[in-house]
Amino acid sequence: MLAIIGGSGMAMFDEMVDRRRQVVRTPYGDPSCPLSFGRIDGHEIVFLARHGYGHTIAPHQINYRANLWALDATGVTDVVSVATVGGIRPDLAPGTLLLPDQIIDYTHRGHGTFFEGPDQPVTHIDFTQPYDSTLRDRLVAAAGSVGETLLLGATYGCTQGPRLETAAEIRRLARDGCDIVGMTAMPEAALARELGISYATLAVVANHAAGIGDSVGGVSMDDIARVLEGAIGRVRTILRALR
Ligand code: HPA
């Protein structure tokens, strides 16, 4: 079963029919919100709003373990995460949709693993390829079927947030090889891998990152909101076509 984790600008997935919500309790506390179950063209899917339905949970406050555990417990095998990002590469204009294939983690968050505690053996997952290529291929096919293009292959630099970055931090991320910057890839992607869930991210470039292009003088929140309003509709159309 497929789950969609909606990010900023996507707190609902109204395209689902026969929607019902279910509160799932987990050993790690509460997920960001009750899970929404429903169907798209006859296929059962699950939706979770990463920041809560009212967008009240900041990136560093998200209970990533509870979210992933709850999805796993309800039989989810594949997760498409929708993530809003800043474009570091100057050619990544606001509104660009892309599928990252690598992550660099700059966060300092606790609870980045399920494998901790007195009864848990230390476990090291392979994370060479953090995203699932089969799920990426399915997203590419879905996008193609509705006339959208997804750029392939980008390195996602994950920062702690909730503040945006300084220009110097973005220059450093660029030197490190990051193409995009966001706040929620980690530990979400690693926790999915620990549970054996296939995971891919559909990233929406909302703005040029700090100090880049038209964000030389600063990042405009109004511009981000405007870009997201247009782009999230395109994301929904792609997700509706996902098989
Ligand atoms: N930086 C970090 N996260 C983001 C950005 C950004 O510029 N834009 C949207 N999410």
Side-chain angles (χ1 to χ4, degrees):
M1 183 161 58
L2 173 73
I4 294 166
I5 300 182
S8 296
M10 194 175 164
M12 302 276 186
F13 197 51
D14 295 332
E15 286 78 355
M16 296 192 300
V17 297
D18 293 342
R19 265 187 298 160
R20 62 192 188 283
R21 284 191 183 175
Q22 187 184 333
V23 173
V24 181
R25 307 237 174 264
T26 89
Y28 304 98
D30 290 331
S32 296
C33 57
L35 303 187
S36 272
F37 291 81
R39 282 181 292 112
I40 299 266
D41 286 343
H43 301 273
E44 182 87 4
I45 70 161
V46 186
F47 180 82
L48 173 91
R50 182 187 285 118
H51 300 281
Y53 289 126
H55 203 279
T56 51
I57 308 170
H60 64 292
Q61 294 175 316
I62 293 166
N63 191 336
Y64 294 95
R65 288 198 299 188
N67 286 351
L68 272 296
W69 195 96
L71 293 173
D72 186 56
T74 53
V76 165
T77 53
D78 301 77
V79 168
V80 171
S81 119
V82 178
T84 302
V85 298
I88 297 177
R89 247 172 45 209
D91 61 301
L92 295 179
T96 303
L97 305 181
L98 45 80
L99 299 174
D101 62 355
Q102 280 296 329
I103 298 173
I104 300 180
D105 185 5
Y106 298 92
T107 64
H108 40 95
R109 294 177 180 154
H111 304 310
T113 178
F114 291 108
F115 299 113
E116 63 183 14
D119 305 325
Q120 287 288 345
V122 173
T123 303
H124 303 287
I125 51 160
D126 173 50
F127 207 43
T128 311
Q129 299 298 335
Y131 296 109
D132 184 76
S133 61
T134 306
L135 197 47
R136 265 204 317 263
D137 291 346
R138 285 168 61 192
L139 283 161
V140 169
S145 75
V146 296
E148 286 285 352
T149 304
L150 300 177
L151 292 192
L152 289 174
T155 296
Y156 180 136
C158 187
T159 56
Q160 172 76 7
R163 66 166 176 85
L164 296 179
E165 298 72 35
T166 66
E169 285 170 335
I170 292 299
R171 287 197 297 273
R172 172 195 173 202
L173 266 63
R175 284 195 301 276
D176 284 355
C178 296
D179 302 297
I180 54 177
V181 57
M183 301 174 188
T184 55
M186 290 296 289
E188 195 173 87
L191 293 169
R193 177 64 53 85
E194 286 190 350
L195 294 171
I197 293 174
S198 303
Y199 181 92
T201 288
L202 205 178
V204 182
V205 178
N207 56 285
H208 287 293
I212 309 278
D214 56 15
S215 297
V216 164
V219 178
S220 156
M221 300 309 142
D222 289 345
D223 287 354
I224 288 184
R226 201 155 11 83
V227 170
L228 282 185
E229 222 175 274
I232 293 295
R234 293 161 52 216
V235 168
R236 290 173 181 284
T237 305
I238 294 169
L239 293 177
R240 221 167 39 212
L242 184 61
R243 293 293 170 268

